[in-house]
Amino acid sequence: MKLLFQSLSNWGNILLLFSLFLLFNALLGSFLSKEHALDLMFAYSAEDAYAAPGQLSAEQLSAYEFGI
């Protein structure tokens, strides 16, 4: 495990991983509705978790499933 972290610790790899993280979040935000996407919400209740996908149209639900 230590060898893995040492190999990832150079600046090139860290920059690549950070770029992938930003890209993933940008793509996630473009595919999912920010009002109903549980992946983009913070501190939601169980009721919100069940209600959010139910408020999406068929097209939005399809895009949500693709994003997931």
Side-chain angles (χ1 to χ4, degrees), residues 28-57:
L28 190 63
S30 69
F31 282 113
L32 304 177
S33 169
K34 291 184 171 106
E35 297 85 32
H36 305 295
L38 298 175
D39 305 280
L40 302 175
M41 295 172 68
F42 180 73
Y44 52 87
S45 67
E47 291 82 21
D48 293 337
Y50 285 111
Q55 297 173 354
L56 298 175
S57 69

PDB file of all heavy atoms in Angstrom, residues 28-57:
ATOM      1  N   LEU A  28     -21.033  15.340 -13.922  1.00  0.00           N
ATOM      2  CA  LEU A  28     -22.141  14.965 -13.043  1.00  0.00           C
ATOM      3  C   LEU A  28     -23.147  16.100 -12.962  1.00  0.00           C
ATOM      4  O   LEU A  28     -24.357  15.877 -13.031  1.00  0.00           O
ATOM      5  CB  LEU A  28     -21.610  14.610 -11.653  1.00  0.00           C
ATOM      6  CG  LEU A  28     -22.573  13.985 -10.678  1.00  0.00           C
ATOM      7  CD1 LEU A  28     -23.042  12.637 -11.196  1.00  0.00           C
ATOM      8  CD2 LEU A  28     -21.916  13.822  -9.325  1.00  0.00           C
ATOM      9  N   GLY A  29     -22.666  17.323 -12.851  1.00  0.00           N
ATOM     10  CA  GLY A  29     -23.552  18.481 -12.799  1.00  0.00           C
ATOM     11  C   GLY A  29     -24.288  18.727 -14.096  1.00  0.00           C
ATOM     12  O   GLY A  29     -25.398  19.261 -14.104  1.00  0.00           O
ATOM     13  N   SER A  30     -23.698  18.342 -15.222  1.00  0.00           N
ATOM     14  CA  SER A  30     -24.373  18.566 -16.500  1.00  0.00           C
ATOM     15  C   SER A  30     -25.410  17.496 -16.801  1.00  0.00           C
ATOM     16  O   SER A  30     -26.366  17.757 -17.523  1.00  0.00           O
ATOM     17  CB  SER A  30     -23.340  18.630 -17.628  1.00  0.00           C
ATOM     18  OG  SER A  30     -22.752  17.376 -17.849  1.00  0.00           O
ATOM     19  N   PHE A  31     -25.251  16.295 -16.284  1.00  0.00           N
ATOM     20  CA  PHE A  31     -26.198  15.221 -16.540  1.00  0.00           C
ATOM     21  C   PHE A  31     -27.328  15.164 -15.524  1.00  0.00           C
ATOM     22  O   PHE A  31     -28.393  14.648 -15.817  1.00  0.00           O
ATOM     23  CB  PHE A  31     -25.502  13.857 -16.558  1.00  0.00           C
ATOM     24  CG  PHE A  31     -24.766  13.580 -17.822  1.00  0.00           C
ATOM     25  CD1 PHE A  31     -23.391  13.499 -17.818  1.00  0.00           C
ATOM     26  CD2 PHE A  31     -25.437  13.396 -19.008  1.00  0.00           C
ATOM     27  CE1 PHE A  31     -22.700  13.240 -18.977  1.00  0.00           C
ATOM     28  CE2 PHE A  31     -24.764  13.142 -20.172  1.00  0.00           C
ATOM     29  CZ  PHE A  31     -23.383  13.065 -20.161  1.00  0.00           C
ATOM     30  N   LEU A  32     -27.095  15.665 -14.341  1.00  0.00           N
ATOM     31  CA  LEU A  32     -28.078  15.528 -13.272  1.00  0.00           C
ATOM     32  C   LEU A  32     -28.665  16.876 -12.898  1.00  0.00           C
ATOM     33  O   LEU A  32     -27.968  17.880 -12.869  1.00  0.00           O
ATOM     34  CB  LEU A  32     -27.430  14.904 -12.035  1.00  0.00           C
ATOM     35  CG  LEU A  32     -26.750  13.574 -12.241  1.00  0.00           C
ATOM     36  CD1 LEU A  32     -26.091  13.129 -10.956  1.00  0.00           C
ATOM     37  CD2 LEU A  32     -27.726  12.533 -12.700  1.00  0.00           C
ATOM     38  N   SER A  33     -29.944  16.887 -12.596  1.00  0.00           N
ATOM     39  CA  SER A  33     -30.603  18.088 -12.131  1.00  0.00           C
ATOM     40  C   SER A  33     -30.101  18.411 -10.726  1.00  0.00           C
ATOM     41  O   SER A  33     -30.179  17.568  -9.828  1.00  0.00           O
ATOM     42  CB  SER A  33     -32.111  17.858 -12.119  1.00  0.00           C
ATOM     43  OG  SER A  33     -32.758  18.888 -11.441  1.00  0.00           O
ATOM     44  N   LYS A  34     -29.606  19.593 -10.521  1.00  0.00           N
ATOM     45  CA  LYS A  34     -29.011  19.940  -9.228  1.00  0.00           C
ATOM     46  C   LYS A  34     -30.047  20.005  -8.102  1.00  0.00           C
ATOM     47  O   LYS A  34     -29.721  19.838  -6.943  1.00  0.00           O
ATOM     48  CB  LYS A  34     -28.268  21.260  -9.343  1.00  0.00           C
ATOM     49  CG  LYS A  34     -27.038  21.144 -10.192  1.00  0.00           C
ATOM     50  CD  LYS A  34     -26.254  22.425 -10.222  1.00  0.00           C
ATOM     51  CE  LYS A  34     -24.941  22.186 -10.907  1.00  0.00           C
ATOM     52  NZ  LYS A  34     -24.782  22.669 -12.187  1.00  0.00           N
ATOM     53  N   GLU A  35     -31.317  20.232  -8.450  1.00  0.00           N
ATOM     54  CA  GLU A  35     -32.340  20.301  -7.417  1.00  0.00           C
ATOM     55  C   GLU A  35     -32.732  18.915  -6.912  1.00  0.00           C
ATOM     56  O   GLU A  35     -33.184  18.767  -5.796  1.00  0.00           O
ATOM     57  CB  GLU A  35     -33.604  20.990  -7.949  1.00  0.00           C
ATOM     58  CG  GLU A  35     -33.405  22.424  -8.367  1.00  0.00           C
ATOM     59  CD  GLU A  35     -32.889  22.534  -9.791  1.00  0.00           C
ATOM     60  OE1 GLU A  35     -33.214  21.684 -10.632  1.00  0.00           O
ATOM     61  OE2 GLU A  35     -32.140  23.486 -10.057  1.00  0.00           O
ATOM     62  N   HIS A  36     -32.574  17.902  -7.764  1.00  0.00           N
ATOM     63  CA  HIS A  36     -33.058  16.568  -7.413  1.00  0.00           C
ATOM     64  C   HIS A  36     -31.954  15.526  -7.331  1.00  0.00           C
ATOM     65  O   HIS A  36     -32.237  14.390  -6.969  1.00  0.00           O
ATOM     66  CB  HIS A  36     -34.106  16.107  -8.425  1.00  0.00           C
ATOM     67  CG  HIS A  36     -35.224  17.065  -8.583  1.00  0.00           C
ATOM     68  ND1 HIS A  36     -36.101  17.354  -7.564  1.00  0.00           N
ATOM     69  CD2 HIS A  36     -35.612  17.831  -9.626  1.00  0.00           C
ATOM     70  CE1 HIS A  36     -36.982  18.244  -7.982  1.00  0.00           C
ATOM     71  NE2 HIS A  36     -36.705  18.550  -9.228  1.00  0.00           N
ATOM     72  N   ALA A  37     -30.748  15.858  -7.682  1.00  0.00           N
ATOM     73  CA  ALA A  37     -29.664  14.884  -7.681  1.00  0.00           C
ATOM     74  C   ALA A  37     -29.123  14.699  -6.267  1.00  0.00           C
ATOM     75  O   ALA A  37     -28.574  15.620  -5.676  1.00  0.00           O
ATOM     76  CB  ALA A  37     -28.543  15.338  -8.606  1.00  0.00           C
ATOM     77  N   LEU A  38     -29.294  13.523  -5.750  1.00  0.00           N
ATOM     78  CA  LEU A  38     -28.827  13.249  -4.393  1.00  0.00           C
ATOM     79  C   LEU A  38     -27.308  13.307  -4.314  1.00  0.00           C
ATOM     80  O   LEU A  38     -26.750  13.611  -3.261  1.00  0.00           O
ATOM     81  CB  LEU A  38     -29.324  11.881  -3.941  1.00  0.00           C
ATOM     82  CG  LEU A  38     -30.843  11.726  -3.876  1.00  0.00           C
ATOM     83  CD1 LEU A  38     -31.195  10.291  -3.522  1.00  0.00           C
ATOM     84  CD2 LEU A  38     -31.435  12.688  -2.890  1.00  0.00           C
ATOM     85  N   ASP A  39     -26.640  13.032  -5.432  1.00  0.00           N
ATOM     86  CA  ASP A  39     -25.183  13.059  -5.443  1.00  0.00           C
ATOM     87  C   ASP A  39     -24.625  14.468  -5.276  1.00  0.00           C
ATOM     88  O   ASP A  39     -23.473  14.642  -4.896  1.00  0.00           O
ATOM     89  CB  ASP A  39     -24.668  12.471  -6.753  1.00  0.00           C
ATOM     90  CG  ASP A  39     -25.211  11.094  -6.995  1.00  0.00           C
ATOM     91  OD1 ASP A  39     -24.689  10.136  -6.413  1.00  0.00           O
ATOM     92  OD2 ASP A  39     -26.187  11.004  -7.761  1.00  0.00           O
ATOM     93  N   LEU A  40     -25.431  15.463  -5.583  1.00  0.00           N
ATOM     94  CA  LEU A  40     -24.989  16.854  -5.491  1.00  0.00           C
ATOM     95  C   LEU A  40     -25.580  17.574  -4.289  1.00  0.00           C
ATOM     96  O   LEU A  40     -25.312  18.740  -4.080  1.00  0.00           O
ATOM     97  CB  LEU A  40     -25.363  17.601  -6.776  1.00  0.00           C
ATOM     98  CG  LEU A  40     -24.788  17.022  -8.059  1.00  0.00           C
ATOM     99  CD1 LEU A  40     -25.324  17.773  -9.261  1.00  0.00           C
ATOM    100  CD2 LEU A  40     -23.275  17.045  -8.042  1.00  0.00           C
ATOM    101  N   MET A  41     -26.385  16.875  -3.500  1.00  0.00           N
ATOM    102  CA  MET A  41     -27.013  17.474  -2.323  1.00  0.00           C
ATOM    103  C   MET A  41     -26.221  17.133  -1.064  1.00  0.00           C
ATOM    104  O   MET A  41     -25.499  16.149  -1.021  1.00  0.00           O
ATOM    105  CB  MET A  41     -28.449  16.975  -2.179  1.00  0.00           C
ATOM    106  CG  MET A  41     -29.375  17.409  -3.292  1.00  0.00           C
ATOM    107  SD  MET A  41     -30.981  16.626  -3.219  1.00  0.00           S
ATOM    108  CE  MET A  41     -31.677  17.338  -1.755  1.00  0.00           C
ATOM    109  N   PHE A  42     -26.389  17.954  -0.052  1.00  0.00           N
ATOM    110  CA  PHE A  42     -25.714  17.729   1.226  1.00  0.00           C
ATOM    111  C   PHE A  42     -26.753  17.766   2.333  1.00  0.00           C
ATOM    112  O   PHE A  42     -27.620  18.632   2.359  1.00  0.00           O
ATOM    113  CB  PHE A  42     -24.662  18.820   1.455  1.00  0.00           C
ATOM    114  CG  PHE A  42     -23.923  18.676   2.745  1.00  0.00           C
ATOM    115  CD1 PHE A  42     -22.976  17.677   2.903  1.00  0.00           C
ATOM    116  CD2 PHE A  42     -24.192  19.505   3.808  1.00  0.00           C
ATOM    117  CE1 PHE A  42     -22.301  17.529   4.099  1.00  0.00           C
ATOM    118  CE2 PHE A  42     -23.514  19.368   5.005  1.00  0.00           C
ATOM    119  CZ  PHE A  42     -22.574  18.376   5.148  1.00  0.00           C
ATOM    120  N   ALA A  43     -26.668  16.816   3.240  1.00  0.00           N
ATOM    121  CA  ALA A  43     -27.516  16.749   4.434  1.00  0.00           C
ATOM    122  C   ALA A  43     -28.994  16.722   4.076  1.00  0.00           C
ATOM    123  O   ALA A  43     -29.756  17.614   4.409  1.00  0.00           O
ATOM    124  CB  ALA A  43     -27.215  17.901   5.382  1.00  0.00           C
ATOM    125  N   TYR A  44     -29.405  15.670   3.389  1.00  0.00           N
ATOM    126  CA  TYR A  44     -30.812  15.502   3.053  1.00  0.00           C
ATOM    127  C   TYR A  44     -31.404  14.374   3.900  1.00  0.00           C
ATOM    128  O   TYR A  44     -30.707  13.502   4.372  1.00  0.00           O
ATOM    129  CB  TYR A  44     -31.004  15.218   1.560  1.00  0.00           C
ATOM    130  CG  TYR A  44     -30.170  14.088   1.029  1.00  0.00           C
ATOM    131  CD1 TYR A  44     -30.612  12.773   1.096  1.00  0.00           C
ATOM    132  CD2 TYR A  44     -28.936  14.331   0.449  1.00  0.00           C
ATOM    133  CE1 TYR A  44     -29.854  11.738   0.607  1.00  0.00           C
ATOM    134  CE2 TYR A  44     -28.164  13.291  -0.042  1.00  0.00           C
ATOM    135  CZ  TYR A  44     -28.627  12.006   0.036  1.00  0.00           C
ATOM    136  OH  TYR A  44     -27.871  10.989  -0.440  1.00  0.00           O
ATOM    137  N   SER A  45     -32.707  14.422   4.067  1.00  0.00           N
ATOM    138  CA  SER A  45     -33.385  13.417   4.889  1.00  0.00           C
ATOM    139  C   SER A  45     -33.766  12.214   4.035  1.00  0.00           C
ATOM    140  O   SER A  45     -33.685  12.242   2.809  1.00  0.00           O
ATOM    141  CB  SER A  45     -34.633  14.023   5.518  1.00  0.00           C
ATOM    142  OG  SER A  45     -35.580  14.315   4.511  1.00  0.00           O
ATOM    143  N   ALA A  46     -34.222  11.167   4.683  1.00  0.00           N
ATOM    144  CA  ALA A  46     -34.663   9.970   3.963  1.00  0.00           C
ATOM    145  C   ALA A  46     -35.874  10.289   3.096  1.00  0.00           C
ATOM    146  O   ALA A  46     -36.004   9.768   1.984  1.00  0.00           O
ATOM    147  CB  ALA A  46     -34.993   8.865   4.954  1.00  0.00           C
ATOM    148  N   GLU A  47     -36.744  11.165   3.571  1.00  0.00           N
ATOM    149  CA  GLU A  47     -37.911  11.559   2.779  1.00  0.00           C
ATOM    150  C   GLU A  47     -37.477  12.270   1.499  1.00  0.00           C
ATOM    151  O   GLU A  47     -38.051  12.049   0.429  1.00  0.00           O
ATOM    152  CB  GLU A  47     -38.847  12.460   3.586  1.00  0.00           C
ATOM    153  CG  GLU A  47     -39.554  11.762   4.724  1.00  0.00           C
ATOM    154  CD  GLU A  47     -38.691  11.640   5.976  1.00  0.00           C
ATOM    155  OE1 GLU A  47     -37.721  12.408   6.137  1.00  0.00           O
ATOM    156  OE2 GLU A  47     -38.983  10.752   6.793  1.00  0.00           O
ATOM    157  N   ASP A  48     -36.470  13.144   1.611  1.00  0.00           N
ATOM    158  CA  ASP A  48     -35.944  13.825   0.427  1.00  0.00           C
ATOM    159  C   ASP A  48     -35.339  12.829  -0.551  1.00  0.00           C
ATOM    160  O   ASP A  48     -35.469  12.985  -1.759  1.00  0.00           O
ATOM    161  CB  ASP A  48     -34.872  14.853   0.822  1.00  0.00           C
ATOM    162  CG  ASP A  48     -35.435  16.013   1.604  1.00  0.00           C
ATOM    163  OD1 ASP A  48     -36.646  16.276   1.480  1.00  0.00           O
ATOM    164  OD2 ASP A  48     -34.661  16.655   2.337  1.00  0.00           O
ATOM    165  N   ALA A  49     -34.679  11.805  -0.018  1.00  0.00           N
ATOM    166  CA  ALA A  49     -34.047  10.806  -0.878  1.00  0.00           C
ATOM    167  C   ALA A  49     -35.072  10.017  -1.677  1.00  0.00           C
ATOM    168  O   ALA A  49     -34.845   9.685  -2.837  1.00  0.00           O
ATOM    169  CB  ALA A  49     -33.190   9.854  -0.034  1.00  0.00           C
ATOM    170  N   TYR A  50     -36.213   9.729  -1.068  1.00  0.00           N
ATOM    171  CA  TYR A  50     -37.261   9.001  -1.781  1.00  0.00           C
ATOM    172  C   TYR A  50     -38.053   9.924  -2.714  1.00  0.00           C
ATOM    173  O   TYR A  50     -38.523   9.503  -3.761  1.00  0.00           O
ATOM    174  CB  TYR A  50     -38.214   8.315  -0.804  1.00  0.00           C
ATOM    175  CG  TYR A  50     -37.618   7.081  -0.182  1.00  0.00           C
ATOM    176  CD1 TYR A  50     -37.294   7.047   1.169  1.00  0.00           C
ATOM    177  CD2 TYR A  50     -37.368   5.946  -0.944  1.00  0.00           C
ATOM    178  CE1 TYR A  50     -36.736   5.915   1.749  1.00  0.00           C
ATOM    179  CE2 TYR A  50     -36.802   4.814  -0.377  1.00  0.00           C
ATOM    180  CZ  TYR A  50     -36.503   4.808   0.965  1.00  0.00           C
ATOM    181  OH  TYR A  50     -35.951   3.693   1.530  1.00  0.00           O
ATOM    182  N   ALA A  51     -38.200  11.177  -2.337  1.00  0.00           N
ATOM    183  CA  ALA A  51     -39.022  12.102  -3.119  1.00  0.00           C
ATOM    184  C   ALA A  51     -38.280  12.662  -4.336  1.00  0.00           C
ATOM    185  O   ALA A  51     -38.905  12.937  -5.360  1.00  0.00           O
ATOM    186  CB  ALA A  51     -39.488  13.253  -2.239  1.00  0.00           C
ATOM    187  N   ALA A  52     -36.974  12.830  -4.265  1.00  0.00           N
ATOM    188  CA  ALA A  52     -36.219  13.484  -5.336  1.00  0.00           C
ATOM    189  C   ALA A  52     -36.357  12.787  -6.685  1.00  0.00           C
ATOM    190  O   ALA A  52     -36.699  13.439  -7.674  1.00  0.00           O
ATOM    191  CB  ALA A  52     -34.757  13.631  -4.938  1.00  0.00           C
ATOM    192  N   PRO A  53     -36.134  11.485  -6.801  1.00  0.00           N
ATOM    193  CA  PRO A  53     -36.298  10.851  -8.121  1.00  0.00           C
ATOM    194  C   PRO A  53     -37.745  10.843  -8.599  1.00  0.00           C
ATOM    195  O   PRO A  53     -38.000  10.855  -9.797  1.00  0.00           O
ATOM    196  CB  PRO A  53     -35.810   9.421  -7.908  1.00  0.00           C
ATOM    197  CG  PRO A  53     -34.965   9.466  -6.695  1.00  0.00           C
ATOM    198  CD  PRO A  53     -35.536  10.560  -5.851  1.00  0.00           C
ATOM    199  N   GLY A  54     -38.699  10.868  -7.698  1.00  0.00           N
ATOM    200  CA  GLY A  54     -40.103  10.875  -8.076  1.00  0.00           C
ATOM    201  C   GLY A  54     -40.549  12.180  -8.704  1.00  0.00           C
ATOM    202  O   GLY A  54     -41.581  12.239  -9.367  1.00  0.00           O
ATOM    203  N   GLN A  55     -39.785  13.253  -8.515  1.00  0.00           N
ATOM    204  CA  GLN A  55     -40.138  14.557  -9.060  1.00  0.00           C
ATOM    205  C   GLN A  55     -39.559  14.783 -10.456  1.00  0.00           C
ATOM    206  O   GLN A  55     -39.807  15.823 -11.056  1.00  0.00           O
ATOM    207  CB  GLN A  55     -39.660  15.660  -8.123  1.00  0.00           C
ATOM    208  CG  GLN A  55     -40.314  15.619  -6.768  1.00  0.00           C
ATOM    209  CD  GLN A  55     -39.709  16.616  -5.807  1.00  0.00           C
ATOM    210  OE1 GLN A  55     -38.725  17.274  -6.107  1.00  0.00           O
ATOM    211  NE2 GLN A  55     -40.302  16.737  -4.631  1.00  0.00           N
ATOM    212  N   LEU A  56     -38.805  13.830 -10.964  1.00  0.00           N
ATOM    213  CA  LEU A  56     -38.187  13.982 -12.277  1.00  0.00           C
ATOM    214  C   LEU A  56     -39.123  13.500 -13.378  1.00  0.00           C
ATOM    215  O   LEU A  56     -39.877  12.547 -13.186  1.00  0.00           O
ATOM    216  CB  LEU A  56     -36.878  13.193 -12.334  1.00  0.00           C
ATOM    217  CG  LEU A  56     -35.775  13.598 -11.360  1.00  0.00           C
ATOM    218  CD1 LEU A  56     -34.613  12.637 -11.471  1.00  0.00           C
ATOM    219  CD2 LEU A  56     -35.316  15.008 -11.615  1.00  0.00           C
ATOM    220  N   SER A  57     -39.039  14.156 -14.534  1.00  0.00           N
ATOM    221  CA  SER A  57     -39.792  13.677 -15.691  1.00  0.00           C
ATOM    222  C   SER A  57     -39.096  12.433 -16.242  1.00  0.00           C
ATOM    223  O   SER A  57     -37.986  12.086 -15.825  1.00  0.00           O
ATOM    224  CB  SER A  57     -39.862  14.762 -16.758  1.00  0.00           C
ATOM    225  OG  SER A  57     -38.579  14.975 -17.312  1.00  0.00           O
TER     226      SER A  57
END
